[in-house]
């Protein structure tokens, strides 16, 4: 026989199953269970040491090739080359460790949310114990302000309301009961006879029996999901791995071919050919690429931070730019997580709350304030969100709140309970009579109404008026607006006995108030912009179906006709993974979902090849935040758990900031792509130059030449390309998605023809130098030729950096001097290149000679030709591909 879930069992059944009673456990029994089952605490996440993170940086294949090259260079006496290569590798490792030092603390943050102590009944006595000493079977006492210390089956409930938004996503506190529930497969938010660890009691009191502790609780289950979740690989990381493997294979093949051919021809000994092979490897490896990508991403994070998007993991910057789906939690992300009065029904009319006048003698305003347990503290209002919304509405409209409460003190009350769904307070009037103020559910309150107050005139309520009130309540409810009804009566004495039968009868209807957790005002525009960028926004929430659908319509996520686009957690459970993956694109709103549902939704889109960003602020969002390609936490309302599981945090909790971050992400990728085209075309030019020099039997460039060009004339302009201004219409293009890579959009063809062009121009200059030498001596002529080839290769790449400002756009339209950082990078790189030739003492280190003015002219002309030829090719590309956007 299948064991029924706890919410379907009676209290007696639960007591029997847990071997406990209303009086709680004995101290001895509690100690025995604690020893057997462990403490009521969440498991701590294992931390990676600084040394482990540092060593992990050297697992990249390109880094390993560089380390081998450094070792060979050192063993063959080329110490300068070896030191420079090692410096590049170590600096890159330090960058990586610095970023990983910010590793997530999500599970530990869950522990920080736990209640420090709990009130329990043991041996029939009420005691306060540390919450981590609670055991299954303990009898726990709750009251307003408490943090629920473990998962409880509620036994005795008095008006209990528990705020569970961090766990379930429901925006208002849940009214709890001790009654047995009959529904099957109820979601967390519907298990109203259970209270969950780390949720907050906002109203009332209760007794409950502990049914789960530590990792067995619902919060513990989320912690386990976090711990088990694999780190996702971002598109940027995947592209870099793909690029690294391709380059490494190419490098090894080229080096081996050149080494073998050189030995076969007998033109050099083994050591010389080994050094030649190292030169080729160094020429082919873009040593600065890891640093350039890191720096470009880091600069992007700084710009995003100024716009309230705080990046915790660098690759997240670029991942946003490739995002296809933004899956957003509703409560606190799309909405304000603050109940607000939106509509008021009074005197037979429904008006927007902002247009409703409030007078000091207004019976509706008076009942709203008096039948209310909100407390005014120095730092704001405290109490149930629906009640504080009523008071805040009056404060915002300068209603005399403090004076009214002083004039009409509370002398008696009937607290709210979930069965009659009403709350009543009694207040003395100046004429010796008493005001009975009642609020509650419209359908229940209306059963007790006999009269209606219309602008101060009290008349018998008619059937038409009842129908109008109920119709208004229904219409507001379908818009996901939470409705409360208000009524009053004047009596000569406090009713005796004070109960529903004596006090809550013969009431005068005062009005209805509609409240909602409103959408953030800027979100609708942000949703429209994401759609314009080809990104699909979807809503995932623990709230009810109607509430979710109404908010989604108001935000433009769905239209009123798209009723089939809403799916509940129960309906999702009925779909197997294969079916759901096929139909996931049919749904834009998910309601009443649990944490595992959110992960399923994210995974389904990922299996469709989509890049998924997930936003959220609650504990229940954390597993999905971690599973997504990029998790986005809320900085203000977000729990530390959600922030810890995120790749990025919105400092202003503004969904619109995501659009800013997407724009920045797209710019970062575009700029990295430009830097890669620039670097790889330059490296290809170097490889072809060395390869042809070797094949022709010419004197070849040394590793120190190539490293200096790669680290100075390559790296500085490449970094500067990382801060190029945003391309025009970039946000009107569709996402590049998971399948694209750094070579997409014409980049690969650009690398090939530009690399061949660089190599041809460099070889041409070398040929001119040895064919028409300045010096008669063959050794000096070859030395000059080598120096001119070195200078040409470096200068060509500086000129080519201007070409790389746009993949297809003309240099003369995009603005040559717009990027000041780029301009200075070119000047400094040219200075460092020229310094190796012009500064005495450096000639020997770099094996170069001093050039004449004519020789410098040839070098300069070759560099200028690089710009002219590439501009001509781009012109024909734009004619052949008119759809290409330039700037």
């Amino acid at each position: 026989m299948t064991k029924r879930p706890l919410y379907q069992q009676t209290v007696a059944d639960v007591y029997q199953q847990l071997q406990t009673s209303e009086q709680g456990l004995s101290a001895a029994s509690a100690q025995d269970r604690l020893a057997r089952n462990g403490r009521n605490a969440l498991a701590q996440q294992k931390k990676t040491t600084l040394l482990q993170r540092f060593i992990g940086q050297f697992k990249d294949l390109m880094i390993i090739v560089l380390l081998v090259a450094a070792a060979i260079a050192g063993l063959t006496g080329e110490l300068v080359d070896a030191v420079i290569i090692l410096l590049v590798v170590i600096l890159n490792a330090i960058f990586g460790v610095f970023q990983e030092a910010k590793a997530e603390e999500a599970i530990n943050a869950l522990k920080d949310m736990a209640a420090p102590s709990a009130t329990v009944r043991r041996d029939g006595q009420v005691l306060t114990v540390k919450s981590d000493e609670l055991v299954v079977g303990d009898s726990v006492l709750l009251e307003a302000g408490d943090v629920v210390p473990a998962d409880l089956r509620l036994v005795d409930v008095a008006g209990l309301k528990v705020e569970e938004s961090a766990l379930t996503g429901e925006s208002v506190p849940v009214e709890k009961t001790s009654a047995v529930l009959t529904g099957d497969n109820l979601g967390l938010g519907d298990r109203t006879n259970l209270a969950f660890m780390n949720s907050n009691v906002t109203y009332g009191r209760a007794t409950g029996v502990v049914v789960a502790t530590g990792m067995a609780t619902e919060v513990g289950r989320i912690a386990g999901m976090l711990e088990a979740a694999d780190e996702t690989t971002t598109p940027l990381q995947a592209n870099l791995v793909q690029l690294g493997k391709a380059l490494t294979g190419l490098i090894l093949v080229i080096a081996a071919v050149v080494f073998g051919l050189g030995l076969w021809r007998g033109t050099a000994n083994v050591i010389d050919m080994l050094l030649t092979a190292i030169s080729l490897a160094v020429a082919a490896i873009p040593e600065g690429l890891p640093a350039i990508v890191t720096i470009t991403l880091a600069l992007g994070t700084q710009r995003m931070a100024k716009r309230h998007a705080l990046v915790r993991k660098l690759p997240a910057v670029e991942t946003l730019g490739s995002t296809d789906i933004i899956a957003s939690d509703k409560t606190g992300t799309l909405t304000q997580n603050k109940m607000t009065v939106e509509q008021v029904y009074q005197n037979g009319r429904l008006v927007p709350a902002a247009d409703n006048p409030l007078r000091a003698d207004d019976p509706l305003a008076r009942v709203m304030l008096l039948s209310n347990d909100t407390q005014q503290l120095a730092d704001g209002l405290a109490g149930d969100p629906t009640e504080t919304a009523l008071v805040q509405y009056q404060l915002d409209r300068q209603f005399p709140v403090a004076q009214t409460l002083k004039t009409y003190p509370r002398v008696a009350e009937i607290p709210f309970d979930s069965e009659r769904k009403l709350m009543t307070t009694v207040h003395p009037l100046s004429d010796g009579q008493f005001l009975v103020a009642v609020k509650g559910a419209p359908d229940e309150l209306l059963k007790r109404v006999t009269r209606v107050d219309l602008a101060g005139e009290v008349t018998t309520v008619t059937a038409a008026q009842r129908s109008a009130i109920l119709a208004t309540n229904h219409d507001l409810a379908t818009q996901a607006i939470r409705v409360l009804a208000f009524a009053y009566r004047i009596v000569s004495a406090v009713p005796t006995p004070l109960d529903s039968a004596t006090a809550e009868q013969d009431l005068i209807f005062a009005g209805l108030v509609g409240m909602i957790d409103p959408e953030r005002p800027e979100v609708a525009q942000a949703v429209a912009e994401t759609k314009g960028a080809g990104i699909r926004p979807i809503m995932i929430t623990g709230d009810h179906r109607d509430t979710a659908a109404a908010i989604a319509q108001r935000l433009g996520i769905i239209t009123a006709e798209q009723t089939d686009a809403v799916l509940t957690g129960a309906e999702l459970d009925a779909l197997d993974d294969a079916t759901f993956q096929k139909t996931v694109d049919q749904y834009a709103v998910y309601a009443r979902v649990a944490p595992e549902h959110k992960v399923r939704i994210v995974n389904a889109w990922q299996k469709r090849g989509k890049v998924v960003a997930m936003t959220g602020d609650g504990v229940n969002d954390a597993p999905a935040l971690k599973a997504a390609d990029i998790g986005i936490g809320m900085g203000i309302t977000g729990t530390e758990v959600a922030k810890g599981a995120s790749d990025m945090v919105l400092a202003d909790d503004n969904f619109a900031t995501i659009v800013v971050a997407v724009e920045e992400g797209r710019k970062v990728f575009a700029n990295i792509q430009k830097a890669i085209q620039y670097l790889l075309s330059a490296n290809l030019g170097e490889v072809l130059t060395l390869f042809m020099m070797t094949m022709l039997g010419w004197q070849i460039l040394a590793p120190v030449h190539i490293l200096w060009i790669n680290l100075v004339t390559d790296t500085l302009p490449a970094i500067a390309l990382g801060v190029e201004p945003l391309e025009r219409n970039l946000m009107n293009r569709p996402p590049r998605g998971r399948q694209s890579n750094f070579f997409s959009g014409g980049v690969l063809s650009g690398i090939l023809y530009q690399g061949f062009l660089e190599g041809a121009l460099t070889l041409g200059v070398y040929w001119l130098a040895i064919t028409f030498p300045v010096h008669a001596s063959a050794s000096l002529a070859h030395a000059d030729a080598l120096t001119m080839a070195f200078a040409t290769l470096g200068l060509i790449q500086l000129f080519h950096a201007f070409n790389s400002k746009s993949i297809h756009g003309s240099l003369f339209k995009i603005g040559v001097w717009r990027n000041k950082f780029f301009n200075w990078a070119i000047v400094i790189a040219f200075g460092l290149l020229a310094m190796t030739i012009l500064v005495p003492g450096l000639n020997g280190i770099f094996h170069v000679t001093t050039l004449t003015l004519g020789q410098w002219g040839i070098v300069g002309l070759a560099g200028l030709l690089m710009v002219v030829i590439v501009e001509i090719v781009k012109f024909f590309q734009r004619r052949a591909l008119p759809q290409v956007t330039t700037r």
Side-chain angles (χ1 to χ4, degrees):
M1 179 179 177
T2 304
K3 187 171 70 173
R4 289 175 299 158
L6 287 164
Y7 56 80
Q8 291 183 342
Q9 296 182 36
T10 65
V11 171
D13 289 340
V14 173
Y15 279 148
Q16 183 178 3
Q17 180 181 325
L18 302 181
Q19 297 179 352
T20 186
S21 69
E22 187 177 355
Q23 297 304 309
L25 301 169
S26 66
S29 177
Q31 195 62 37
D32 179 61
R33 295 187 184 196
L34 184 64
R36 279 190 288 114
N37 302 322
R39 291 188 171 273
N40 177 35
L42 302 180
Q44 293 290 297
Q45 192 173 24
K46 294 179 181 178
K47 294 184 178 180
T48 306
T49 67
L50 189 65
L51 179 62
Q52 288 173 324
R53 289 201 294 269
F54 185 75
I55 292 171
Q57 305 303 312
F58 297 92
K59 295 177 181 178
D60 184 83
L61 197 54
M62 286 199 338
I63 298 297
I64 293 170
V65 171
L66 277 175
L67 288 173
V68 172
I72 294 172
L75 291 172
T76 54
E78 298 292 335
L79 294 178
V80 174
D81 296 352
V83 169
I84 292 174
I85 294 172
L86 285 174
L87 279 174
V88 171
V89 171
I90 292 170
L91 283 172
N92 181 63
I94 291 171
F95 267 122
V97 170
F98 176 75
Q99 289 306 318
E100 289 187 16
K102 299 177 181 178
E104 68 181 56
E105 296 289 343
I107 294 176
N108 292 341
L110 277 167
K111 183 181 179 183
D112 294 338
M113 292 177 61
S117 61
T119 304
V120 301
R121 186 181 286 114
R122 288 182 181 171
D123 291 320
Q125 302 294 316
V126 176
L127 308 170
T128 299
V129 300
K130 292 181 180 179
S131 62
D132 64 356
E133 294 177 359
L134 283 180
V135 296
V136 171
D138 262 327
S139 179
V140 175
L141 282 63
L142 298 175
E143 60 182 28
D146 284 350
V147 176
V148 179
D151 282 5
L152 310 176
R153 169 63 164 89
L154 297 173
V155 173
D156 184 24
V157 173
L160 186 72
K161 292 185 182 181
V162 181
E163 196 271 311
E164 299 176 340
S165 64
L167 191 63
T168 66
E170 188 161 0
S171 54
V172 295
V174 178
E175 298 170 7
K176 294 294 184 176
T177 179
S178 60
V180 174
L181 304 178
T182 57
D184 293 323
N185 300 317
L186 295 181
L188 291 185
D190 296 319
R191 299 175 193 178
T192 52
N193 59 9
L194 300 179
F196 303 108
M197 184 178 182
N198 292 356
S199 55
N200 300 287
V201 179
T202 63
Y203 190 89
R205 61 185 184 277
T207 302
V209 56
V210 175
V211 293
T213 61
M215 294 300 287
T217 62
E218 290 298 328
V219 168
R221 191 166 59 86
I222 293 174
M225 291 169 67
L226 278 174
E227 194 170 31
D230 294 328
E231 290 288 343
T232 54
T233 300
T234 69
L236 177 66
Q237 291 168 324
N239 284 339
L240 285 174
V241 169
Q242 181 186 38
L243 179 61
K245 288 179 178 178
L247 285 177
T248 302
L250 186 63
I251 290 161
L252 294 176
V253 169
I254 291 173
V257 167
V258 170
F259 182 75
L261 282 175
L263 291 179
W264 176 70
R265 290 182 60 191
T267 53
N269 59 36
V270 173
I271 296 299
D272 287 341
M273 287 314 304
L274 196 57
L275 288 174
T276 300
I278 290 173
S279 295
L280 274 169
V282 170
I285 296 175
E287 294 91 349
L289 180 58
I292 288 163
V293 170
T294 301
I295 291 168
T296 303
L297 292 172
L299 291 172
T301 66
Q302 291 178 13
R303 291 191 297 270
M304 291 169 72
K306 291 176 182 177
R307 302 175 77 175
H308 309 296
L310 309 178
V311 175
R312 299 181 68 249
K313 299 174 184 177
L314 276 188
V317 180
E318 181 277 332
T319 306
L320 270 169
S322 58
T323 297
D324 298 288
I325 307 293
I326 296 179
S328 179
D329 175 50
K330 178 185 74 69
T331 305
T333 306
L334 299 174
T335 65
Q336 299 176 28
N337 198 19
K338 180 178 68 175
M339 293 300 289
T340 303
V341 175
E342 184 163 281
Q343 298 283 341
V344 175
Y345 179 83
Q346 188 180 20
N347 302 324
R349 292 188 311 117
L350 180 68
V351 296
D355 299 336
N356 186 60
L358 282 181
R359 305 182 312 275
D361 61 345
D362 187 336
L364 175 58
R366 193 178 296 173
V367 176
M368 283 168 60
L369 183 59
L370 297 179
S371 185
N372 195 310
D373 286 330
T374 298
Q375 293 183 328
Q376 288 184 274
L377 306 177
D379 57 349
L381 302 178
D384 182 272
T386 56
E387 293 193 329
T388 58
L390 298 173
V391 177
Q392 188 62 53
Y393 172 66
Q394 299 190 63
L395 289 172
D396 291 342
R397 300 183 65 75
Q398 286 74 52
F399 189 81
V401 171
Q403 182 61 41
T404 302
L405 291 173
K406 184 178 180 181
T407 303
Y408 305 102
R410 184 183 302 184
V411 295
E413 66 180 298
I414 307 174
F416 173 89
D417 70 54
S418 57
E419 293 184 7
R420 72 182 213 289
K421 298 181 179 180
L422 298 173
M423 174 184 175
T424 297
T425 58
V426 182
H427 309 265
L429 299 173
S430 58
D431 60 1
Q433 298 189 90
F434 291 86
L435 169 69
V436 178
V438 185
K439 79 165 186 292
D443 51 347
E444 291 297 324
L445 185 141
L446 206 56
K447 294 175 184 177
R448 296 161 170 80
V449 165
T450 58
R451 292 167 290 170
V452 59
D453 190 317
L454 298 174
E457 182 181 348
V458 177
T459 60
T460 302
V461 66
T462 65
Q465 287 171 330
R466 285 183 184 275
S467 296
I469 294 168
L470 290 173
T472 301
N473 175 48
H474 175 75
D475 290 344
L476 292 175
T478 58
Q479 300 172 48
I481 295 176
R482 183 182 178 91
V483 184
L484 284 177
F486 299 85
Y488 69 97
R489 64 184 290 209
I490 307 297
V491 294
S492 58
V494 176
T496 304
L498 186 61
D499 56 23
S500 183
T502 59
E504 296 171 343
Q505 304 296 330
D506 193 26
L507 299 178
I508 303 168
F509 179 77
L512 301 175
V513 172
M515 291 170 285
I516 196 169
D517 175 13
E519 70 275 16
R520 293 176 175 273
E522 68 284 340
V523 169
Q525 176 63 26
V527 167
E529 289 181 23
T530 58
K531 287 186 172 182
I535 301 169
R536 179 171 181 176
I538 63 174
M539 177 196 289
I540 305 177
T541 178
D543 233 329
H544 291 278
R545 183 190 189 108
D546 291 344
T547 305
I551 292 294
Q553 288 176 32
R554 290 166 67 147
L555 292 174
I557 294 175
I558 61 172
T559 63
E561 293 75 30
Q562 289 180 296
T563 54
D564 293 340
V566 183
L567 190 73
T568 65
E571 291 167 338
L572 178 54
D573 283 332
L575 299 175
D576 59 70
D577 286 342
T579 303
F580 180 52
Q581 187 181 329
K582 290 178 183 176
T583 59
V584 66
D585 57 350
Q586 298 176 14
Y587 310 111
V589 179
Y590 298 86
R592 221 61 180 152
V593 295
E596 59 269 24
H597 293 139
K598 298 185 180 187
V599 174
R600 275 190 74 189
I601 295 163
V602 169
N603 289 341
W605 278 112
Q606 288 173 328
K607 289 174 182 177
R608 294 280 291 261
K610 302 298 184 182
V611 178
V612 182
M614 170 77 194
T615 76
D617 63 345
V619 175
N620 60 319
D621 299 315
L625 288 171
K626 190 170 181 181
D629 294 288
I630 175 166
I632 306 170
M634 300 294 114
I636 299 173
T637 59
T639 61
E640 289 304 312
V641 183
K643 292 181 211 175
S646 300
D647 303 294
M648 187 178 87
V649 175
L650 302 183
D652 58 357
D653 282 15
N654 189 339
F655 182 86
T657 303
I658 298 173
V659 178
V660 171
V662 168
E663 178 185 280
E664 189 63 43
R666 291 191 176 188
K667 182 171 79 171
V668 163
F669 179 79
N671 288 346
I672 290 176
Q673 198 174 36
K674 293 169 192 173
I676 284 175
Q677 176 175 317
Y678 170 66
L679 286 173
L680 295 189
S681 59
N683 285 25
L684 179 58
E686 293 165 12
V687 169
L688 290 172
T689 300
L690 291 175
F691 182 77
M692 291 307 299
M693 282 180 164
T694 304
M695 294 299 99
L696 293 170
W698 292 351
Q699 205 173 344
I700 70 165
L701 295 168
V704 70
H705 293 146
I706 301 301
L707 274 171
W708 191 253
I709 290 172
N710 283 0
L711 295 177
V712 175
T713 61
D714 280 8
T715 304
L716 288 177
I719 293 172
L721 286 171
V723 292
E724 277 292 294
L726 184 72
E727 294 186 43
R728 190 180 65 201
N729 298 327
L730 191 62
M731 285 299 288
N732 293 329
R733 304 176 194 173
R736 64 182 186 83
R738 193 180 295 278
Q739 301 306 315
S740 68
N741 55 47
F742 290 127
F743 301 125
S744 302
V747 172
L748 180 59
S749 61
I751 290 171
L752 293 174
Y753 89 81
Q754 290 161 15
F756 276 97
L757 181 58
E758 285 191 30
L761 288 170
T762 305
L763 290 168
V765 169
Y766 187 96
W767 177 82
L768 278 172
I770 59 173
T771 305
F772 306 100
V774 173
H775 300 94
S777 167
S779 61
L780 286 176
H782 278 283
D784 281 351
L786 198 63
T787 302
M788 289 177 69
F790 168 59
T792 300
L793 195 54
L795 194 62
I796 279 177
Q797 291 179 11
L798 293 181
F799 275 97
H800 182 45
F802 286 94
N803 293 327
S804 301
K805 281 173 164 281
S806 176
I807 304 299
H808 297 287
S810 171
L811 173 62
F812 304 105
K813 288 187 177 181
I814 62 177
V816 180
W817 311 113
R818 285 202 304 162
N819 184 347
K820 292 180 180 179
F821 184 60
F822 178 87
N823 300 336
W824 278 109
I826 296 295
V827 171
I828 293 169
F830 177 75
L832 291 170
L833 175 67
M835 184 178 70
T836 62
I837 300 171
L838 300 176
V839 176
L842 292 178
N843 309 63
I845 295 175
F846 284 90
H847 317 297
V848 294
T849 61
T850 302
L851 301 178
T852 67
L853 194 60
Q855 289 171 321
W856 275 113
I858 293 171
V859 170
L861 180 62
L864 188 60
L865 278 173
M866 186 71 194
V867 174
V868 173
I869 295 171
V870 170
E871 276 293 310
I872 292 170
V873 173
K874 283 185 178 181
F875 172 78
F876 286 107
Q877 282 181 331
R878 290 192 298 273
R879 295 290 295 270
L881 302 170
Q883 76 275 17
V884 171
T885 301
T886 55
R887 286 203 181 200

